[in-house]
Amino acid sequence: MPGIKGPSDYSREPRRHPSLKINAKEPFNAEPTRSDLISSYVTPVDFFYKRNHGPIPVVDDIERYSISLRGLVENSKELFMKDIWKLPKYTVTATLQCAGNRRTAMSKSRTVRGVGWDISAIGNENLRNRLDRMEKSQIAVWGGAKLADVLKLVGIPYLTSITQSGGKHVEFVSIDKCKEEKGGPYKASIPLNQATNPEADVLLAYEMNGEPLNRDHGYPLRVVVPGVIGARSVKWLDSINIIAEECQGFFMQKDYKMFPPTVNWDNINWSTRRPQMDFPVQSAICSLEDVCVVKHGKITIKGYAVSGGGRGIERVDVSIDGGKSWVEATRYQRIGIPYIADDSGSDKWAWVFFEAEANIPQSAEIVAKAVDIAANVQPESIDSIWNLRGILNTSWHRVQVRVGQANL
Ligand code: MTE
């Protein structure tokens, strides 16, 4: 494609913040430390997790960069950045979470395949369209055009489930080269009725934090699908295809599917499961490491909670006795303003931070579990949700603390 290249080696990788924990070097996969992750409600670009499957593409000429829209539509179209910039710009606050978040803990229960992640393969971006209501210094802005508006340009109206020629899915194809795709590009799809629903807030984003996207996060243009596992938010967009069946690419058909604990690499049949879309309810404690020493007295237990599909967080429970008894944590998106799920002042697609104080006895197992507005609750044990790819570890997050010469 003119204007952008997908290199086949790692000689032109961007610079990254030195404090990131690198989980794999090539392709580059890294996450922030727990304390950096919760240093602010909107994650600074430097601390935003980076999940790649190949070398980072290089844009050498933004004027020549374009995406094509084709497939089961009446009129195909080629759009340049100037065409996309002309569309109404929206900003929405949304949490992106990799399905592999917390995989390292799952692999301790039984081996799984995939890059290991602690609890920080997650980040919160601001894509909000009511910027005036926010304290600007606290937010990072991801801005872009709504996919629903882009699809209107090829004659697909809002809230369409099927095009006249039978298109039911919207496929996003990248420019990068992935070994899983035998050197071909990363791709994924979402249903057309989600893509054409302006309320679903699916964006073709070109900004993060009021700045053009950086290379790691998809410069010059990426998809952001709020409430859905990060794997569907395709970076470095090359084309959008309207197709009859969901995308047949590796990452839709042979990855990012949730299998039961009985399925192993000898009996797996990929076609029996659907590609994962919404992520389930999740929470994690970020103010403590999994095993740590704390000072005698009161400590603050702090972390994040989020659910997929735009479902808000109803409650976060915290225990200091391994889950025998619980207290409810306070939740907030803006400091000093209590969070109410579904309240028009809350960010529908975004995580909440939670906080609880506790006096720790000599030693304790501290646990967090979240409940979303549909009363979905995190499962207690890893074993009940173990799966061979190690995705969607949403089990209760547990940390072991001991009172002593503190490192806190
Ligand atoms: N898009 C492309 N083109 N290539 C990729 O490797 N990784 C996906 C998704 N989009 C990926 C991609 C996955 S698995 C995740 S979790 C998110 O991007 C991560 O986005 P981030 O690196 O901006 O945090």
Side-chain angles (χ1 to χ4, degrees):
M1 191 229 291
I4 183 165
K5 284 192 204 87
S8 36
D9 66 29
Y10 293 90
S11 57
R12 298 186 66 185
E13 292 289 282
R15 286 166 69 102
R16 280 102 179 194
H17 198 276
S19 72
L20 287 176
K21 291 193 288 180
I22 299 174
N23 297 327
K25 215 166 162 236
E26 295 177 350
F28 189 78
N29 286 292
E31 64 188 305
T33 62
R34 294 180 178 194
S35 55
D36 284 345
L37 182 67
I38 49 158
S39 59
S40 76
Y41 168 66
V42 173
T43 315
V45 178
D46 276 349
F47 295 159
F48 207 92
Y49 79 97
K50 288 143 189 33
R51 174 66 177 119
N52 300 303
H53 289 85
I56 307 301
V58 181
V59 175
D60 48 24
D61 187 350
I62 187 73
E63 309 253 296
R64 284 168 60 219
Y65 167 81
S66 64
I67 56 165
S68 59
L69 277 84
R70 51 183 183 228
L72 301 171
V73 281
E74 305 313 307
N75 307 304
S76 299
K77 225 181 173 74
E78 194 172 356
L79 292 179
F80 289 83
M81 281 310 293
K82 64 176 169 30
D83 303 315
I84 292 164
W85 287 326
K86 258 188 232 149
L87 291 168
K89 178 177 167 185
Y90 290 90
T91 53
V92 181
T93 307
T95 295
L96 201 64
Q97 178 176 209
C98 184
N101 192 24
R102 304 185 56 207
R103 178 180 284 134
T104 300
M106 189 173 273
S107 69
K108 286 181 186 150
S109 162
R110 243 159 90 195
T111 310
V112 298
R113 252 183 228 172
V115 175
W117 295 92
D118 186 39
I119 63 170
S120 304
I122 187 165
N124 194 41
E125 309 119 37
N126 201 291
L127 305 116
R128 195 179 179 86
N129 56 359
R130 287 177 308 191
L131 213 55
D132 47 318
R133 290 187 44 208
M134 306 276 302
E135 319 82 82
K136 291 193 178 130
S137 61
Q138 283 189 14
I139 60 171
V141 179
W142 278 55
K146 280 204 181 173
L147 178 61
D149 290 338
V150 173
L151 293 175
K152 265 175 120 186
L153 298 178
V154 286
I156 307 178
Y158 284 168
L159 303 174
T160 300
S161 299
I162 180 162
T163 60
Q164 277 169 4
S165 33
K168 285 204 239 166
H169 296 263
V170 181
E171 179 183 61
F172 311 113
V173 184
S174 172
I175 187 77
D176 55 353
K177 298 193 169 86
C178 310
K179 103 176 157 320
E180 293 87 343
E181 288 284 8
K182 302 192 173 57
Y186 189 98
K187 49 190 175 186
S189 68
I190 62 169
L192 184 64
N193 59 10
Q194 183 178 12
T196 55
N197 179 1
E199 298 282 305
D201 287 333
V202 181
L203 282 202
L204 296 193
Y206 43 80
E207 274 181 9
M208 185 175 187
N209 252 359
E211 301 286 336
L213 286 177
N214 77 10
R215 284 182 58 211
D216 261 322
H217 296 293
Y219 178 76
L221 194 65
R222 80 171 299 169
V223 184
V224 174
V225 190
V228 164
I229 61 163
R232 313 304 174 216
S233 289
V234 174
K235 306 192 269 189
W236 316 289
L237 197 57
D238 178 36
S239 59
I240 297 180
N241 302 321
I242 310 301
I243 52 179
E245 306 290 335
E246 68 196 10
C247 161
Q248 293 301 302
F250 179 91
F251 299 101
M252 287 287 283
Q253 301 304 333
K254 301 241 160 130
D255 204 354
Y256 299 117
K257 289 186 174 184
M258 173 83 157
F259 283 89
T262 46
V263 171
N264 58 46
W265 292 106
D266 297 324
N267 64 15
I268 189 165
N269 178 353
W270 287 98
S271 65
T272 56
R273 297 283 150 195
R274 354 167 339 106
Q276 186 67 36
M277 299 306 277
D278 286 9
F279 51 77
V281 59
Q282 173 73 289
S283 74
I285 298 163
C286 301
S287 54
L288 300 163
E289 295 301 319
D290 278 351
V291 180
C292 59
V293 179
V294 296
K295 269 195 223 145
H296 179 73
K298 211 169 243 177
I299 65 161
T300 302
I301 301 154
K302 192 173 163 186
Y304 64 78
V306 66
S307 193
R311 287 177 288 279
I313 294 296
E314 178 65 22
R315 213 174 79 215
V316 181
D317 299 330
V318 172
S319 169
I320 58 163
D321 56 13
K324 289 192 201 79
S325 64
W326 302 89
V327 293
E328 190 174 338
T330 54
R331 291 160 292 134
Y332 61 92
Q333 288 182 325
R334 318 241 185 290
I335 293 169
I337 306 176
Y339 163 84
I340 305 169
D342 269 357
D343 176 58
S344 61
S346 68
D347 293 323
K348 176 178 179 187
W349 305 109
W351 65 13
V352 301
F353 280 171
F354 66 85
E355 225 173 279
E357 289 196 325
N359 274 308
I360 304 298
Q362 210 44 42
S363 66
E365 182 178 73
I366 303 182
V367 190
K369 75 161 172 349
V371 181
D372 74 15
I373 55 164
N376 296 307
V377 188
Q378 290 178 251
E380 179 171 347
S381 78
I382 291 186
D383 291 339
S384 61
I385 50 166
W386 182 93
N387 60 91
L388 73 175
R389 277 293 280 109
I391 64 164
L392 305 175
N393 179 11
T394 55
S395 60
W396 296 0
H397 187 216
R398 300 162 191 269
V399 302
Q400 315 296 329
V401 300
R402 187 168 57 76
V403 173
Q405 288 309 319
N407 55 11
L408 186 84

